[in-house]
Amino acid sequence: MRIDRQSLLLAAPVLAAIGVIAGVVLQFERESAFNQATTVEADTEADYFMRGADIRRYDGNGTMLHSLRAARLEHFPDNSASMVDVTINRMPGPWTLHAGRGESPQGLSELLLQDAIVLETQLDDGSPIRMHTEYLQLDIHARTMMSPSPVRLE
């Protein structure tokens, strides 16, 4: 059976969407870990805060790997953080993720995001794709995402 390039290009967005859906479904097994994750206690006082935070991470060659921006970021003595109006850009990829607020139980390697999350990226053929959900656990180092809530692709 021979598949021509045009057929392959037409099928690529569908296959990519199926891959994203499968990845999200497989991550549902980690839902209990998401629900049991440590969260920032409301009565804990921040040891410092930032307005207009812009945090960037680079590799050894000076290439940006990702950036995190937040309208407000509060850091706590146990190395946890809470954020409001969060935007994360991941390179290479690239993809951009927006969330109304987020928490980080230990440093900024794991993020628990919520409130109208939108992840935007492009498929290999350049066509845009968006993922919407209300809760998302993002592990920066493992490069995984998990959502215990429904995920909508468009």
Side-chain angles (χ1 to χ4, degrees), residues 13-52:
V14 173
L15 293 174
I18 290 171
V20 169
I21 292 168
V24 170
V25 169
L26 290 174
Q27 292 300 324
F28 267 44
E29 294 176 5
R30 292 180 45 185
E31 179 176 343
S32 62
F34 181 88
N35 292 330
Q36 295 172 3
T38 305
T39 58
V40 176
E41 296 295 327
D43 60 348
T44 304
E45 283 198 39
D47 52 0
Y48 65 87
F49 73 93
M50 294 180 265
R51 288 188 191 133

Side-chain angles (χ1 to χ4, degrees), residues 60-123:
N61 296 321
T63 304
M64 187 173 75
L65 297 174
H66 59 265
S67 69
L68 181 146
R69 286 176 294 190
R72 181 176 174 95
L73 184 144
E74 294 180 324
H75 184 271
F76 297 90
D78 64 355
N79 206 26
S80 62
S82 67
M83 297 154 274
V84 176
D85 193 16
V86 183
T87 300
I88 301 168
N89 290 299
R90 172 81 175 134
M91 304 302 270
W95 53 258
T96 301
L97 187 145
H98 304 280
R101 58 192 171 114
E103 295 179 352
S104 179
Q106 293 281 328
L108 291 174
S109 62
E110 179 184 39
L111 301 173
L112 307 174
L113 304 168
Q114 56 187 345
D115 293 341
I117 297 165
V118 178
L119 184 137
E120 299 173 290
T121 191
Q122 292 182 344
L123 300 175

